Amino acid sequence: MLKKIFTGLLLSLALLIVAALAAYLYYWRPALAPIDPPAATAFSPQVVEKGRILAGMGNCAACHTAQGGADYAGGHGLATPFGTIYATNITPDRQTGIGRWSLAAFQRAMREGVGRDGAHLFPVFPYTHFTLVSDADLTALYAYFMTRPPVYAVAPANSVPFPLNLRPLQAGWKLLFFKPASYQLDPAQGLDWNRGRYLAEGLAHCAACHTPRNALGAELAGSSYLGASIDHWYAPALTSANTAPLPWTQDELYAFLRTGATALHGVAAGPMSAVVHEGMGASPDSDIRALATYFVGVAGAEQRQVDTDTVVKAGIARSQRVSLVDNDRGASLYVAACASCHSNSDGKPTALRPELSLNSAVSAPDPANLTQVILHGISKDDAMPGVLMPGFAASLTDNDVAQLAAYLRRSRSTQPAWTNLEAAVARARAGK
């Protein structure tokens, strides 16, 4: 019996090795010749400017700039279930950046996840989305990055353990989860919808945060935009599964993506704040409206008939019924720390002091966003001008925050109670 088991294990191992080798040979790519960095004057100012705006839409700086480091010089650590992977230097430095990369090498990396040396890139770099980006847009991005100041900066070594750190294994991952493609217009949809989808599915790679992943780190097939935990925050569902009391209309989506706040949903905080303000801030209104057009279709908001006034009035009525029954510590904390700003007396919600019964963080299936905001507040850089909230990490214990969050959930939302709240608060506090 043991001999049969041993033989079976050897056979399985041999098959895995053969499959990995076949995948590697199928996805093998040669190194591309290095070039001398082109002069900045080789690129037209118009193309460089277009690249700057596109780099913002792709939120490239968020991953490729370390805290306190030079722009695009890499070194920012990206935590994954398989270890920390450090973003690379994409300035035109000859030794540590992409200064010796040709346009062809840059395009291959973006579309196929292969470095200039032929090594497969880890899929934490979202080439699975960038594969859809057009030649013209990739050319503009290349022009922008190749005209940045070159910075000598070596990224720290990744902490991915053996054998997962072997680059050839990424060929097997690609065989399972990656299919190179170009964007195809949907003739049944309008120009705005197609532009929004091109940006969302491609350069903006929205699904990379808003879609749950499988055990191997790939986006779950058939689960696009259903919401996912990321960087100790929660990226909510962008489909009809979104639990916000009011559907995200096209105007609300536009306002949120343009300004970072909306009276009927809340403010952009955490990673989404960087997307809105540091990323898409330079994008033209037409692109922001195109994204709103696309995502209102994804959410099916046009099919959700909701009486906004009724929902708002009901929410405000709930908010005004502060109960201190049974010495509810959560309610007491709300009165002491929150009510002076969040109590609505005129029945008109504003983005400056959000109505919590309408707030997406309170109704979300995951308490991460609410606990993060209670602990760390909203800085002047997070949301629209005038939105500022102090953090209570120094004055409230984990248990205090958990009780406050539990009170807000049951008094401001019709969604089920959160569980293990104190542990969630501890994670949020440690993850900041």
Side-chain angles (χ1 to χ4, degrees):
M1 178 63 72
L2 288 176
K3 185 177 180 180
K4 287 183 178 180
I5 293 174
F6 184 70
T7 302
L9 289 173
L10 283 178
L11 181 59
S12 298
L13 180 60
L15 289 173
L16 284 173
I17 293 172
V18 169
L21 181 60
Y24 176 70
L25 291 174
Y26 180 77
Y27 276 104
W28 177 84
R29 299 292 185 271
L32 297 180
I35 64 166
D36 291 326
T41 54
F43 307 100
S44 76
Q46 294 81 6
V47 172
V48 172
E49 174 61 9
K50 177 182 178 181
R52 181 184 74 86
I53 294 171
L54 290 172
M57 178 61 71
N59 205 28
C60 304
C63 287
H64 287 278
T65 304
Q67 187 173 9
D71 290 348
Y72 302 115
H76 175 67
L78 302 165
T80 78
F82 315 101
T84 300
I85 298 174
Y86 291 89
T88 54
N89 182 347
I90 55 173
T91 73
D93 180 68
R94 290 170 176 259
Q95 294 175 272
T96 63
I98 61 170
R100 307 208 69 188
W101 285 43
S102 63
L103 174 59
F106 179 79
Q107 288 178 325
R108 186 175 72 172
M110 292 288 285
R111 285 190 173 143
E112 299 182 39
V114 178
R116 188 192 65 77
D117 60 0
H120 292 287
L121 305 179
F122 290 111
V124 68
F125 176 67
Y127 61 84
T128 53
H129 291 278
F130 297 161
T131 187
L132 298 175
V133 181
S134 70
D135 285 347
D137 284 353
L138 289 180
T139 298
L141 283 166
Y142 179 75
Y144 175 67
F145 291 127
M146 293 300 276
T147 53
R148 297 310 88 209
V151 178
Y152 181 91
V154 180
N158 299 325
S159 66
V160 179
F162 178 86
L164 298 177
N165 62 336
L166 298 177
R167 298 286 181 161
L169 286 182
Q170 302 311 309
W173 190 95
K174 288 178 177 178
L175 194 62
L176 291 172
F177 304 116
F178 176 53
K179 185 178 181 181
S182 59
Y183 182 76
Q184 302 298 316
L185 287 173
D186 185 343
Q189 300 289 346
L191 292 177
D192 277 356
W193 185 95
N194 271 289
R195 176 65 177 173
R197 182 171 179 248
Y198 167 76
L199 292 171
E201 300 290 334
L203 195 57
H205 60 286
C206 305
C209 289
H210 289 272
T211 299
R213 295 176 180 269
N214 64 21
L216 294 179
E219 293 172 22
L220 278 173
S223 300
S224 291
Y225 301 121
L226 287 183
S229 297
I230 182 167
D231 292 340
H232 308 288
W233 291 78
Y234 179 72
L238 303 179
T239 67
S240 59
N242 189 287
T243 54
L246 289 168
W248 283 86
T249 65
Q250 188 167 330
D251 287 343
E252 286 286 300
L253 282 165
Y254 168 78
F256 184 80
L257 294 175
R258 185 80 288 176
T259 68
T262 161
L264 300 183
H265 291 92
V267 301
M272 192 61 198
S273 175
V275 170
V276 170
H277 299 293
E278 298 171 26
M280 295 189 295
S283 296
D285 269 5
S286 58
D287 280 352
I288 304 301
R289 292 194 183 280
L291 284 167
T293 298
Y294 173 62
F295 279 115
V296 79
V298 169
E302 294 172 338
Q303 282 71 51
R304 283 183 65 191
Q305 300 298 319
V306 176
D307 186 334
T308 300
D309 288 342
T310 299
V311 174
V312 170
K313 289 176 182 177
I316 291 174
R318 282 199 305 273
S319 298
Q320 291 172 341
R321 291 194 296 270
V322 179
S323 173
L324 301 178
V325 177
D326 299 326
N327 294 318
D328 188 311
R329 180 158 176 75
S332 299
L333 288 167
Y334 173 79
V335 171
C338 315
S340 60
C341 287
H342 288 286
S343 291
N344 192 305
S345 58
D346 62 5
K348 297 178 180 178
T350 70
L352 295 179
R353 297 188 176 188
E355 168 52 52
L356 296 179
S357 65
L358 303 177
N359 193 276
S360 294
V362 177
S363 61
D366 188 307
N369 296 354
L370 181 62
T371 56
Q372 285 277 16
V373 170
I374 294 173
L375 286 169
H376 305 296
I378 300 290
S379 76
K380 63 181 179 61
D381 299 321
D382 276 335
M384 65 189 296
V387 176
L388 184 67
M389 174 183 158
F392 295 93
S395 55
L396 297 181
T397 66
D398 288 358
N399 181 261
D400 289 338
V401 176
Q403 292 201 47
L404 175 57
Y407 167 72
L408 289 173
R409 179 71 163 186
R410 68 175 178 269
S411 65
R412 304 296 191 274
S413 172
T414 59
Q415 299 296 317
W418 287 312
T419 58
N420 301 318
L421 260 176
E422 195 164 346
V425 176
R427 288 194 298 272
R429 191 187 292 270
K432 182 65 176 178

